[in-house]
Each structure stands twice: as C-alpha cells, then as structure tokens.
Amino acid sequence: MTSAAEITAAVRQLYNTYPFPPEPILDEPPPGYNWRWSWPAAYSFCTGRYPSRLDVAILDAGCGTGVGTEYLAHLNPHAQVMAIDLSEGALEIAQERCRRSRAHNVQFQHRSLYDVAHLGQTFDMINCVGVLHHLPDPARGIQALANVLAPGGILHVFVYGELGRWEIKLMQRAIALLQGSDRSNYPQGVAIGRQIFAALPEGNRLKKREQERWSLDNQRDECFADMYVHPQEIDYTIASLFELIAASGLEFVGFSNPRLWQLERLLGTQPDLLARAQHLSPLEQYQLIEALDPEAMTHYEFFLAKPPLVRQDWSADAQVLAAIPYRHPCLDGWPGGCVFNCHYDVIYLNAAEQQFLAAANGQATVADLLAQQPEVSLEQVRSLLERQLILLAPGGASWPTY
C-alpha cells in the first residue's frame, strides 16, 4: 500500500471483516464505568472542578462497535453524543448496542475522522481511543479533531506505545513475511499467526509475552486480527508522542493514568536518585520513566485541551468551605461503608464520611453541610476529595443541580 486511500480502504476492510471490539451486546446499561468517559469526572481531572454544564456535546471519534459510545451515553445522560466510524459493519453493531441498552442520546454517522469538520459543530469533549495510530496521517487526524474542539473543551486520546509492543511488532512482521502478497486476506493472516504461536517453543519471548499479557483477549479472532494483522499501525515513544501533540496545537493537560508516571514508583527507594530525577523537565521525567519501565509502555492515554481551560486550586480552606460538593459519578458499592473509587481502589468510610457523602448532591456548600454535620471535619472533606469520592464546584456561581 502506497497511498492514504489504499491504507484507509484496507483498514475499513479489516474492521468490516472483524468488527472491533467484540464485546457482547446487553439488554441493559453496561456494567461498571470508565471515569475518562464521564464528562464531570474527566473535566474535574483536567481542571480540578466540577463543570458548570452537563448538557454538553460529546464526539466519539472512531467508535468501532460502540463499547465506549455506550458508556459515554449512559454516564452522561444530559449530553448529546455523536459517534463516527469508517466501518459500516462496526457502526451497525454500535447502533444495535446502544438501541438495546436504551442509550437514546446518541447519533451515528459513517464518516472518516479526517472529515469531522463536515459535522458542522464543535464539541466540549472528544473521545479518540485506539484510532489515530491506525490513520495514514495521525497529525492530520489530531488537527481535524482540534479544529472541532470547543474553546475550553477536552480531548482524550489513546495511542500505542512502541517499547511495550516490541514483541507484537515482531509477530506482525513474521505473519506478513509468511503471508506474502495476500495480506488483505485477514482470516488467512489470523490462521497463520495462530500456527506460528503453536509452533514456537516454550520460553520463546514472543510466545511468552502473548501468553502472559494478551492471550485471554486474543482467543477471539477480532482481537487477534486487530493486534497482529492490522494493515496500518504507528507506535509512539515519548519523543514522537509530544511531536504529535505539538502538531495538534492543543495544550497537554496530563496522562489519564497518572500513577504510571510517578517517579516514586520506580525510584522511591533511592532518595538521591529521586531528587536528581525531580530536577529534570517534565518531558525528561516522562522519558526516564519510559526508559526504566519499557514493558509498561504498551500505550499512552492522555488529555489535551483547547484554551482557555480554567483550573481550580483548593489549597485555601475558605474556597473549600464555599464550594458545592458533588458525589463522584464513578463509585461502585455506594451507598455503603466500603466502595470502589474511580480507579477501583477499595475505600473504607466511617459513619460520618458516609453521612457527608450522602448529602453531597450539589444542593449546599461544604460550610452548610459541616454546620449540619458537626461530627464531620474539614480535614475529612479534604480526604474525600483526595480519594476522589467527591468533586467540588466553586461557590458563588450557578451550578447544575441534577
């Protein structure tokens, strides 16, 4: 394949042959959550504060079979969601998925990501997961998304990482060599790939990585094909990733899996080394973590924003007291004394914390709730905020009450 049109046609053919992801369709809303698909949770991650509007426009750019689209619709019932994809087959499944789970606030269009300007609107939030790295020109793709992102809007991106997918790239190369000129025969490519894994001796690095990391998902041909016989894939390092971000013209907000990017995770036992690392620039710190833990770099997920993105600092007690608290929209096990927060951390709550959390519904300020619940301290409120059990909206403004 030498032209962008040929690459695009090949990608479309793959996903018409193997619609992805192959998750089952349910007759009810999807289980669990991904906080990155919740507008209040994602906006608060990017700004530190609860959004002033819930009736926003959301774009799922490259929706595939609609797994993420369905979550976007159900986690944001006041939003209008637009979902686009290149594959007609995947779109049909996405529409059926959302119809069956009664996600009524979604519209679908068969459209290339490059052509989002023809949608004729801007979006407050854009979700683009697993798409840019399959485009013939990812920079053009991210620029197209940036052009339809509203001022103050946020864009969540997921692209592949080069270092953590080293074995995958080698297997892709091996399948391509054995398949020869017939690479558009994707079922044949899947069959050859499975034969290779069956033939490789135990302990082989490629086979071991597949068994340890991917084999459960790759029992399904759709997943195996997406990973090993894809006709177009561009993997990133930190250096090339930030070149892509620079091409977007947007502001880098942060990685949406921030724990992976904590220096303490790798150097915490050596204070001298940690201090040296903390004097590096943010980009150099990311490159250091990438170099020290390459197997973890299978992908990069991050938020970008179009200025102005106003951030909130809750360091002053007076600001917290005047704020309006909202229970975090991504909690599992609530109501109860043991819940999972948005990162699925197990959180134990005492009776006073449970009482405050029950009242954190956007109807009163922190100061008002503390006056009603003298057994709760401001320190406990800060702890709820730190553990991501509540979100705060600045006081003195009109905020959503639903």
Side-chain angles (χ1 to χ4, degrees):
M1 293 179 293
T2 58
S3 73
E6 289 174 313
I7 293 171
T8 299
V11 172
R12 180 180 176 185
Q13 180 187 344
L14 172 73
Y15 287 127
N16 281 334
T17 305
Y18 291 114
F20 185 86
E23 302 305 318
I25 295 177
L26 306 176
D27 290 317
E28 58 186 3
Y33 50 78
N34 182 330
W35 68 266
R36 299 161 186 83
W37 294 331
S38 163
W39 163 249
Y43 187 83
S44 183
F45 175 85
C46 292
T47 66
R49 65 189 211 168
Y50 197 84
S52 59
R53 293 175 49 235
L54 299 181
D55 57 339
V56 294
I58 299 175
L59 173 64
D60 196 10
C63 66
T65 59
V67 173
T69 313
E70 186 179 39
Y71 277 100
L72 287 167
H74 285 286
L75 290 174
N76 305 286
H78 302 284
Q80 290 299 314
V81 180
M82 173 67 71
I84 64 171
D85 201 84
L86 189 68
S87 164
E88 308 95 312
L91 271 177
E92 289 177 4
I93 296 172
Q95 290 175 295
E96 177 65 9
R97 183 187 306 280
C98 288
R99 186 192 69 79
R100 291 263 295 270
S101 71
R102 296 175 294 281
H104 301 304
N105 55 334
V106 187
Q107 294 181 356
F108 294 90
Q109 286 198 23
H110 177 223
R111 187 178 296 279
S112 166
L113 187 152
Y114 290 145
D115 298 329
V116 289
H118 298 303
L119 295 171
Q121 68 175 105
T122 59
F123 298 90
D124 303 285
M125 179 178 177
I126 299 177
N127 178 65
C128 188
V129 171
V131 181
L132 290 174
H133 50 237
H134 292 317
L135 297 179
D137 188 348
R140 178 186 167 198
I142 202 169
Q143 288 163 0
L145 296 178
N147 288 337
V148 297
L149 186 64
I154 57 176
L155 164 61
H156 186 242
V157 176
F158 175 114
V159 294
Y160 288 153
E162 178 180 310
L163 300 185
R165 291 175 62 85
W166 184 81
E167 294 88 353
I168 293 172
K169 294 296 288 185
L170 291 180
M171 179 56 72
Q172 290 171 348
R173 188 184 306 168
I175 293 172
L177 286 168
L178 290 174
Q179 195 171 11
S181 61
D182 198 19
R183 290 195 62 198
S184 62
N185 185 339
Y186 298 118
Q188 181 191 74
V190 169
I192 289 174
R194 295 199 184 284
Q195 285 180 293
I196 294 173
F197 276 124
L200 291 174
E202 294 301 320
N204 173 274
R205 179 168 175 172
L206 275 63
K207 185 170 186 172
K208 185 177 179 181
R209 180 70 161 167
E210 164 69 12
Q211 292 171 336
E212 292 176 349
R213 189 69 185 265
W214 317 110
S215 59
L216 184 61
D217 284 340
N218 284 343
Q219 291 177 20
R220 297 175 288 187
D221 285 349
E222 295 88 346
C223 295
F224 193 99
D226 182 71
M227 179 168 288
Y228 290 118
V229 301
H230 206 291
Q232 171 69 8
E233 178 178 312
I234 297 175
D235 298 338
Y236 289 88
T237 63
I238 284 293
S240 59
L241 176 69
F242 276 84
E243 291 175 358
L244 178 69
I245 292 171
S248 75
L250 299 175
E251 172 189 351
F252 178 72
V253 177
F255 290 106
S256 62
N257 53 347
R259 294 179 181 181
L260 182 70
W261 300 97
Q262 293 175 347
L263 289 165
E264 292 81 1
R265 181 176 69 86
L266 299 170
L267 301 177
T269 62
Q270 298 293 326
D272 292 344
L273 280 180
L274 184 60
R276 280 177 174 268
Q278 289 169 338
H279 281 92
L280 298 174
S281 69
L283 182 60
E284 289 171 330
Q285 290 183 20
Y286 298 147
Q287 289 176 314
L288 177 62
I289 292 169
E290 175 187 56
L292 294 176
D293 195 9
E295 286 193 355
M297 302 301 150
T298 58
H299 65 273
Y300 302 97
E301 50 185 302
F302 54 95
F303 281 102
L304 304 178
K306 177 174 285 188
L309 188 71
V310 180
R311 292 174 172 81
Q312 181 69 39
D313 179 6
W314 298 109
S315 58
D317 288 349
Q319 289 180 319
V320 176
L321 289 168
I324 301 169
Y326 291 80
R327 202 162 43 249
H328 199 290
C330 296
L331 296 181
D332 198 6
W334 175 260
C338 178
V339 300
F340 292 96
N341 70 2
C342 61
H343 298 298
Y344 286 95
D345 299 322
V346 179
I347 306 290
Y348 294 96
L349 300 167
N350 60 37
E353 291 171 330
Q354 291 180 59
Q355 185 180 5
F356 185 91
L357 204 55
N361 58 7
Q363 300 293 321
T365 67
V366 170
D368 291 337
L369 293 182
L370 291 183
Q372 299 166 17
Q373 303 175 24
E375 66 277 13
V376 181
S377 68
L378 180 59
E379 288 71 25
Q380 286 176 301
V381 175
R382 286 193 175 280
S383 176
L384 293 173
L385 181 64
E386 181 182 345
R387 290 179 287 173
Q388 300 183 61
L389 301 177
I390 59 172
L391 305 176
L392 297 180
S398 176
W399 297 93
T401 57
Y402 41 68

